[in-house]
Amino acid sequence: MREWTGQFWFLPAVMTITALFLAWAGIQVEERHGIPAGLDWVYSGGESGARSLLSAVASSAIGVAGTVFSITIAALSYAAGSMGPRLLDNFTRDRGNQAVLGTFIATFAFTLFSLRSVQGGDDRPFVPHYNVTLAMLLALACVAALVYFLAHVTRGINMTAVVNLLRDDLRRALERATDDRTEAVHPAAPPEAFWTAGEQLRSPDSGYLQLLDTEALTAAATRDGVALHILVRPGEYVFPNTPVAVGVPRLPGDVLPALVLGPRRVAGQDLEFTVRQLAEVAARALSPGVNDPVTATDVIDRFGDALCRLQGRTWPSGVVYRDHQLRLVYPVTTYGGLLDSMFHMIRQYGSASPAVTLRLLDVLRIVAQGEQDATRHTELDRHATLIMEDARRETKNPGDLKDLEDRYRTLRQGIRRHGEAPGA
């Protein structure tokens, strides 16, 4: 249900249906009861004036809506080239934008429905005075909505706003993917040789794995008394006729319905998809045609924010036991894989920019200061080494290179103080 209500057309459709009902109700009330005496604020003109006013409001509402939204979509499409597809997605899901479009369309529908009831002549003349009055108020509402829309979209077509939206998406994704327990419970996974004699399941279709229903898979494996190994992770592209699961000693029933494939990656369980949207913003900013290292450093800061929030949270193991029996093993995004998604692309595109590499090392140092997990320290040190190797090759200025070496040395010393002793 939430997927339907979040669509761009849903709120405008509800507002339009409501407007049509109000137009019908206003006509019915006036036909049966007329206009009571003393209502000076109600439109009191004749048939000709009502037609002209309703026609003007209807044509203006739909004309302004079509022009403004078409120009806005063109501007957003151009801006999405540097900000990423999240900009367009946010525009269509924004309730304010939906309400503005709904206001224009509802006004058009209301006035058009009211216009058809206007009748002249001597036989049975009728002017919907209530509706004409409300149409004038709706015209004023359209003006207010237009002013709001221009200010709202101007704020939305802003790199910092887009980056902060993606940061919020990443925060929510990490909260769903991790646990706030202080002690991690990691059941032991069987060796790879355990699965060699199992029965393979090959995918009959292709697409991105959008959803992996672990509860249904665990229930199916428990019911049939087997162990099940899922070979693909949410976000990976599944090719036709490739193995997606192995069951020991056999496959349980109802495996394929629990693997939902689709034509594109979605947030949901695909943690790296949310990360890559932010990384793409930084990569576009570092392209030669844009050359915007400030935006790249903003993205790096948001990644540091997310990693600091992971401190003290446990990562899922991807191994499920029921009644001390292995039932399901499925691939999960690891801390190292998360770092790879965050920093590989930025490092590769920004290795020639000292401002970017300096900020990368600073953020890794800050994250390492608060992190207590030695395994995570190893991953942070691995990325710091990769950054420094590229920086030594690409940095031409000796002063910049000295700053980088100093930051790198400080980072590694901090990791050592927390009990990790990486190699030189």
Side-chain angles (χ1 to χ4, degrees), residues 158-231:
N158 179 280
M159 188 65 77
T160 301
V162 175
V163 169
N164 286 334
L165 285 169
L166 292 171
R167 175 206 60 193
D168 295 340
D169 290 345
L170 179 57
R171 285 180 181 176
R172 290 188 289 268
L174 288 174
E175 287 176 359
R176 291 193 302 265
T178 59
D179 199 331
D180 60 358
R181 292 177 298 176
T182 56
E183 295 183 0
V185 179
H186 294 296
E192 288 297 324
F194 175 80
W195 307 102
T196 56
E199 180 184 359
Q200 278 192 351
L201 173 66
R202 295 179 178 272
S203 174
D205 205 349
S206 63
Y208 289 101
L209 181 60
Q210 296 178 337
L211 175 65
L212 182 65
D213 192 344
T214 56
E215 293 296 330
L217 291 171
T218 303
T222 303
R223 181 188 65 239
D224 293 355
V226 300
L228 181 63
H229 185 195
I230 302 299
L231 305 177

Side-chain angles (χ1 to χ4, degrees), residues 303-339:
F303 283 150
D305 177 289
L307 291 173
C308 287
R309 291 176 184 274
L310 275 179
Q311 294 167 5
R313 299 184 68 87
T314 60
W315 212 262
S317 64
V319 181
V320 180
Y321 280 79
R322 288 289 185 269
D323 299 327
H324 307 290
Q325 297 291 325
L326 176 67
R327 293 307 179 202
L328 179 66
V329 177
Y330 60 96
V332 295
T333 300
T334 63
Y335 189 82
L338 184 68
L339 290 179

